[in-house]
mmCIF file of all heavy atoms in Angstrom:
data_model
loop_
_atom_site.group_PDB
_atom_site.id
_atom_site.type_symbol
_atom_site.label_atom_id
_atom_site.label_comp_id
_atom_site.label_asym_id
_atom_site.label_seq_id
_atom_site.Cartn_x
_atom_site.Cartn_y
_atom_site.Cartn_z
ATOM 1 N N ILE A 2 14.864 -9.714 -22.656
ATOM 2 C CA ILE A 2 13.735 -10.215 -23.430
ATOM 3 C C ILE A 2 12.612 -10.614 -22.474
ATOM 4 O O ILE A 2 12.829 -11.455 -21.605
ATOM 5 C CB ILE A 2 14.164 -11.467 -24.241
ATOM 6 C CG1 ILE A 2 15.281 -11.083 -25.189
ATOM 7 C CG2 ILE A 2 12.977 -12.040 -25.002
ATOM 8 C CD1 ILE A 2 15.997 -12.265 -25.818
ATOM 9 N N SER A 42 1.647 10.769 -36.497
ATOM 10 C CA SER A 42 2.258 10.565 -37.796
ATOM 11 C C SER A 42 3.736 10.938 -37.745
ATOM 12 O O SER A 42 4.111 11.947 -37.141
ATOM 13 C CB SER A 42 1.521 11.449 -38.816
ATOM 14 O OG SER A 42 1.990 11.167 -40.096
ATOM 15 N N GLY A 43 4.555 10.078 -38.313
ATOM 16 C CA GLY A 43 6.004 10.370 -38.349
ATOM 17 C C GLY A 43 6.747 9.985 -37.081
ATOM 18 O O GLY A 43 7.924 10.257 -36.949
ATOM 19 N N THR A 58 16.960 -3.055 -41.491
ATOM 20 C CA THR A 58 17.866 -3.379 -40.379
ATOM 21 C C THR A 58 18.084 -2.121 -39.544
ATOM 22 O O THR A 58 18.438 -1.087 -40.102
ATOM 23 C CB THR A 58 19.232 -3.874 -40.941
ATOM 24 O OG1 THR A 58 18.952 -4.870 -41.912
ATOM 25 C CG2 THR A 58 20.090 -4.454 -39.844
ATOM 26 N N ALA A 119 -3.381 -28.049 -53.775
ATOM 27 C CA ALA A 119 -3.500 -28.009 -52.310
ATOM 28 C C ALA A 119 -3.466 -26.581 -51.827
ATOM 29 O O ALA A 119 -4.243 -26.187 -50.932
ATOM 30 C CB ALA A 119 -2.360 -28.807 -51.673
ATOM 31 N N GLU A 126 -10.354 -21.966 -48.338
ATOM 32 C CA GLU A 126 -10.873 -22.096 -46.971
ATOM 33 C C GLU A 126 -10.718 -20.791 -46.218
ATOM 34 O O GLU A 126 -11.632 -20.372 -45.518
ATOM 35 C CB GLU A 126 -10.127 -23.200 -46.218
ATOM 36 C CG GLU A 126 -10.600 -24.591 -46.557
ATOM 37 C CD GLU A 126 -9.646 -25.672 -46.053
ATOM 38 O OE1 GLU A 126 -8.907 -25.389 -45.061
ATOM 39 O OE2 GLU A 126 -9.619 -26.765 -46.651
ATOM 40 N N ASP A 134 -14.964 -15.869 -50.500
ATOM 41 C CA ASP A 134 -14.662 -17.038 -51.327
ATOM 42 C C ASP A 134 -15.260 -16.929 -52.727
ATOM 43 O O ASP A 134 -14.751 -17.520 -53.666
ATOM 44 C CB ASP A 134 -15.118 -18.332 -50.646
ATOM 45 C CG ASP A 134 -16.512 -18.224 -50.042
ATOM 46 O OD1 ASP A 134 -16.799 -17.175 -49.408
ATOM 47 O OD2 ASP A 134 -17.304 -19.147 -50.219
ATOM 48 N N ASP A 135 -16.302 -16.110 -52.860
ATOM 49 C CA ASP A 135 -16.918 -15.969 -54.207
ATOM 50 C C ASP A 135 -16.095 -15.078 -55.128
ATOM 51 O O ASP A 135 -16.395 -14.936 -56.293
ATOM 52 C CB ASP A 135 -18.339 -15.415 -54.085
ATOM 53 C CG ASP A 135 -18.400 -14.131 -53.261
ATOM 54 O OD1 ASP A 135 -17.550 -13.950 -52.372
ATOM 55 O OD2 ASP A 135 -19.286 -13.306 -53.522
ATOM 56 N N GLY A 142 -8.031 -5.818 -59.328
ATOM 57 C CA GLY A 142 -8.593 -4.603 -59.913
ATOM 58 C C GLY A 142 -10.100 -4.642 -60.039
ATOM 59 O O GLY A 142 -10.742 -3.612 -60.262
ATOM 60 N N ARG A 151 -9.903 -7.860 -47.317
ATOM 61 C CA ARG A 151 -10.206 -9.184 -46.755
ATOM 62 C C ARG A 151 -9.378 -10.255 -47.462
ATOM 63 O O ARG A 151 -8.929 -11.201 -46.843
ATOM 64 C CB ARG A 151 -11.683 -9.502 -46.911
ATOM 65 C CG ARG A 151 -12.532 -8.622 -46.037
ATOM 66 C CD ARG A 151 -13.974 -9.002 -46.196
ATOM 67 N NE ARG A 151 -14.829 -7.930 -45.704
ATOM 68 C CZ ARG A 151 -16.064 -8.128 -45.329
ATOM 69 N NH1 ARG A 151 -16.612 -9.306 -45.395
ATOM 70 N NH2 ARG A 151 -16.775 -7.113 -44.879
ATOM 71 N N VAL A 154 -6.033 -10.130 -45.976
ATOM 72 C CA VAL A 154 -5.986 -10.765 -44.660
ATOM 73 C C VAL A 154 -5.948 -12.283 -44.800
ATOM 74 O O VAL A 154 -5.208 -12.982 -44.142
ATOM 75 C CB VAL A 154 -7.184 -10.325 -43.774
ATOM 76 C CG1 VAL A 154 -7.256 -11.143 -42.512
ATOM 77 C CG2 VAL A 154 -7.069 -8.826 -43.433
ATOM 78 N N ALA A 155 -6.765 -12.796 -45.738
ATOM 79 C CA ALA A 155 -6.759 -14.254 -45.995
ATOM 80 C C ALA A 155 -5.363 -14.678 -46.425
ATOM 81 O O ALA A 155 -4.857 -15.709 -45.979
ATOM 82 C CB ALA A 155 -7.800 -14.584 -47.075
ATOM 83 N N ALA A 160 -0.617 -19.108 -44.966
ATOM 84 C CA ALA A 160 0.542 -19.977 -44.787
ATOM 85 C C ALA A 160 0.812 -20.285 -43.310
ATOM 86 O O ALA A 160 1.920 -20.623 -42.935
ATOM 87 C CB ALA A 160 1.774 -19.346 -45.433
ATOM 88 N N PRO A 162 1.116 -18.391 -40.476
ATOM 89 C CA PRO A 162 2.259 -17.669 -39.880
ATOM 90 C C PRO A 162 2.157 -17.690 -38.354
ATOM 91 O O PRO A 162 1.120 -18.067 -37.800
ATOM 92 C CB PRO A 162 2.078 -16.249 -40.432
ATOM 93 C CG PRO A 162 0.606 -16.113 -40.566
ATOM 94 C CD PRO A 162 0.087 -17.458 -41.005
ATOM 95 N N THR A 187 -8.779 -10.473 -36.144
ATOM 96 C CA THR A 187 -8.442 -10.815 -34.768
ATOM 97 C C THR A 187 -9.046 -12.174 -34.382
ATOM 98 O O THR A 187 -8.418 -12.941 -33.658
ATOM 99 C CB THR A 187 -8.891 -9.729 -33.769
ATOM 100 O OG1 THR A 187 -10.243 -9.400 -34.010
ATOM 101 C CG2 THR A 187 -8.043 -8.495 -33.931
ATOM 102 N N ALA A 189 -9.637 -14.734 -36.421
ATOM 103 C CA ALA A 189 -8.839 -15.773 -37.065
ATOM 104 C C ALA A 189 -7.482 -15.899 -36.378
ATOM 105 O O ALA A 189 -6.998 -16.995 -36.116
ATOM 106 C CB ALA A 189 -8.632 -15.438 -38.540
ATOM 107 N N SER A 192 -7.903 -17.644 -32.941
ATOM 108 C CA SER A 192 -8.209 -19.068 -32.987
ATOM 109 C C SER A 192 -7.008 -19.856 -33.520
ATOM 110 O O SER A 192 -6.882 -21.024 -33.204
ATOM 111 C CB SER A 192 -9.470 -19.319 -33.831
ATOM 112 O OG SER A 192 -9.211 -18.986 -35.159
ATOM 113 N N VAL A 195 -2.090 -16.836 -33.639
ATOM 114 C CA VAL A 195 -1.145 -16.001 -34.382
ATOM 115 C C VAL A 195 -1.029 -14.665 -33.655
ATOM 116 O O VAL A 195 -2.043 -14.059 -33.294
ATOM 117 C CB VAL A 195 -1.676 -15.731 -35.811
ATOM 118 C CG1 VAL A 195 -0.692 -14.872 -36.617
ATOM 119 C CG2 VAL A 195 -1.949 -17.047 -36.533
ATOM 120 N N VAL A 197 -0.352 -10.654 -33.556
ATOM 121 C CA VAL A 197 -0.556 -9.578 -34.534
ATOM 122 C C VAL A 197 0.083 -8.297 -34.023
ATOM 123 O O VAL A 197 -0.155 -7.894 -32.880
ATOM 124 C CB VAL A 197 -2.081 -9.332 -34.786
ATOM 125 C CG1 VAL A 197 -2.266 -8.198 -35.791
ATOM 126 C CG2 VAL A 197 -2.756 -10.599 -35.278
ATOM 127 N N ASP A 213 -1.874 -2.042 -25.970
ATOM 128 C CA ASP A 213 -1.399 -1.068 -26.926
ATOM 129 C C ASP A 213 -0.103 -0.424 -26.454
ATOM 130 O O ASP A 213 0.125 -0.298 -25.247
ATOM 131 C CB ASP A 213 -2.455 0.018 -27.176
ATOM 132 C CG ASP A 213 -2.882 0.674 -25.879
ATOM 133 O OD1 ASP A 213 -3.736 0.112 -25.167
ATOM 134 O OD2 ASP A 213 -2.347 1.747 -25.542
ATOM 135 N N VAL A 216 4.040 5.030 -29.741
ATOM 136 C CA VAL A 216 5.361 5.475 -30.193
ATOM 137 C C VAL A 216 5.332 6.975 -30.274
ATOM 138 O O VAL A 216 4.434 7.569 -30.870
ATOM 139 C CB VAL A 216 5.687 4.893 -31.593
ATOM 140 C CG1 VAL A 216 7.069 5.362 -32.051
ATOM 141 C CG2 VAL A 216 5.640 3.397 -31.570
ATOM 142 N N ASP A 218 8.142 10.191 -30.912
ATOM 143 C CA ASP A 218 9.520 10.566 -31.214
ATOM 144 C C ASP A 218 10.459 9.364 -31.224
ATOM 145 O O ASP A 218 11.542 9.398 -30.689
ATOM 146 C CB ASP A 218 10.043 11.576 -30.170
ATOM 147 C CG ASP A 218 9.174 12.809 -30.134
ATOM 148 O OD1 ASP A 218 8.623 13.198 -31.190
ATOM 149 O OD2 ASP A 218 9.005 13.391 -29.025
#
Side-chain angles (χ1 to χ4, degrees):
Chain A
I2 300 167
S42 187
T58 311
E126 281 167 25
D134 45 316
D135 53 331
R151 292 182 197 201
V154 171
T187 50
S192 66
V195 181
V197 180
D213 55 278
V216 180
D218 302 327

